[in-house]
Amino acid sequence: MKTHFIAIGGSAMHNLAIALKDKGYQVTGSDDAIFEPSKSRLEKKGILPEKMGWFPEKITPDIDAVILGMHAHQDNPELAKAKELGLKIYSYPEFLYEQSKNKTRVVIAGSHGKTTITSMILHVLNFHQKDVDFMVGAQLEGFDCMVKLTQDNDFMVLEGDEYLSSPIDLRSKFLLYQPNIALLSGIAWDHINVFKTFDDYIEQFRKFVASITPGGVLVYNEEDEEVVKVVENAENYFRKMPYKTPEYEISNGKVLLKTEIMGDIPLSVFGAHNLLNLEGARHICQTLGIMDEEFYEAIMSFKGASKRLEKVERNDGGILYKDFAHAPSKVKAAVKAFCEQFKKEKKYAFLELHTYSSLNPVFLEQYDHAMDGPDEAIVFYSEDALKIKRMEAISPDFIKEKFKNEKLKVFTNADELHAYWNTLDKTDGVFLMMSSGNFGGLDLSN
């Protein structure tokens, strides 16, 4: 099969391209910019475009499938050529469904926790050498490529994202998968640039639950009020499996999970939200034939998904964790976990407001008390970024008001943030760095 990727360099797209190359497909692609690690990984497989840019001449009648990435625009010249030739154009999730429509599809959805839960499931299955197809949005230890597609595997585990499928398919990605087994971890308004109201956002999850195949299974977080409402109001038939935070304790800085069959289990991850994620993963693994004892045996060695409370090795030995958290619910969960884990140490928490949603004055209301708890709480956003996004200026006082935290330190200039950072002794206290950006180029290892 001959496939062509429009916007091959994306974190998800390049993984799919590699998976198809490994499956024996002919793979070509284009992009206007490709960054690491996508660039090196595509080059290693021999599918890195020779030149950056869009080349309609690459689109030929013998192409079986054009896969369109979210990074491309509606007026992309390669897309126009593909339409002109009448080629089959797939969004990323649409193509994944095509590859898995004869398998049992397991879809992990939710505003937060889905990457970690999917990673936990794959870690456990890998530990017990249970082979499945999969797609997950973060790099996981022990896995080379985060998409796997085979002819023979019976199951496919998919991280289900509620964001749009492609520039020409405005459905939420997870609505294309039609899960046989699904998990819903939580609902907290996100992607305000696309879903203008909270109800519009929740509607995507109502549709997701409605898309579960007849007689399927839904594992859901019974501690989340919005999730419970969606599940209780669903009209289709599926088996319901609720889960909640399991019992645990912190002893000498180590998290111990309390279990009936194996006693106290030491874990490498921390935070109540991660224990909740773990419980959701355990329920999914049960549906895949993994006994609880096997699950606990494997989960002890799970160190976390990339960029999710990930420990950074500093040259001075200081304790620093980075987290992809930027949405309010994720920030609150990460800060709470950090404060619970490090009760005695001086705690610094840094948050970069980087996305369209997080810089929206209406959406900022969602961050109330999100940075409460640490001894020092710092918020950074770039005034230049606001100008680039053509958004109104936001004052530091407005940020403090919305976070309901007068002690908040607010920086709007990267140089001033870096100067403050350089005044801190990184061995005196513990640090939590939350961003989907990079704090204006801050080096977290030095």
Side-chain angles (χ1 to χ4, degrees), residues 327-337 366-371 434:
S329 61
K330 296 174 185 175
V331 172
K332 289 173 184 177
V335 168
K336 183 182 175 186
Q366 310 290 318
Y367 286 95
D368 64 312
H369 299 294
M371 295 289 279
M434 296 172 286

Side-chain angles (χ1 to χ4, degrees), residues 130-290:
K130 188 175 175 71
D131 203 19
V132 296
D133 288 2
F134 56 80
M135 182 279 290
V136 62
Q139 193 59 42
L140 185 59
E141 193 176 304
F143 290 79
D144 178 38
C145 181
M146 295 320 298
V147 175
K148 182 174 182 177
L149 299 168
T150 67
Q151 299 286 3
D152 304 327
N153 286 339
D154 295 327
F155 293 93
M156 182 153 190
V157 180
L158 295 148
E159 180 181 342
D161 186 2
E162 68 272 22
Y163 201 69
L164 307 181
S165 294
S166 85
I168 60 172
D169 185 348
L170 304 184
R171 291 174 292 177
S172 290
K173 288 176 189 162
F174 61 21
L175 298 182
L176 281 75
Y177 295 139
Q178 298 179 41
N180 307 96
I181 300 167
L183 181 142
L184 190 46
S185 64
I187 300 175
W189 193 16
D190 201 357
H191 308 305
I192 189 175
N193 56 320
V194 174
F195 307 113
K196 303 296 185 187
T197 66
F198 186 36
D199 191 65
D200 185 21
Y201 182 71
I202 292 175
E203 181 61 21
Q204 310 315 308
F205 292 93
R206 294 187 192 113
K207 289 178 181 175
F208 172 70
V209 170
S211 75
I212 297 170
T213 55
V217 176
L218 175 63
V219 174
Y220 69 96
N221 173 12
E222 66 176 307
E223 294 176 358
D224 188 298
E225 190 180 320
E226 297 299 339
V227 167
V228 172
K229 277 189 214 165
V230 166
V231 174
E232 287 180 348
N233 291 325
E235 295 179 357
N236 51 322
Y237 170 70
F238 51 82
R239 186 156 61 93
K240 299 172 185 176
M241 293 177 65
Y243 68 93
K244 60 185 178 183
T245 307
E247 281 190 53
Y248 70 99
E249 66 176 43
I250 300 171
S251 178
N252 297 321
K254 201 75 179 167
V255 176
L256 298 174
L257 175 65
K258 298 190 167 297
T259 74
E260 288 182 14
I261 57 172
M262 292 178 68
D264 290 354
I265 301 291
L267 299 175
S268 298
V269 294
F270 63 86
H273 67 302
N274 271 329
L275 275 292
L276 184 62
N277 291 336
L278 182 149
E279 194 67 1
R282 181 176 71 83
H283 278 65
I284 290 290
C285 285
Q286 277 182 350
T287 70
L288 301 179
I290 299 290

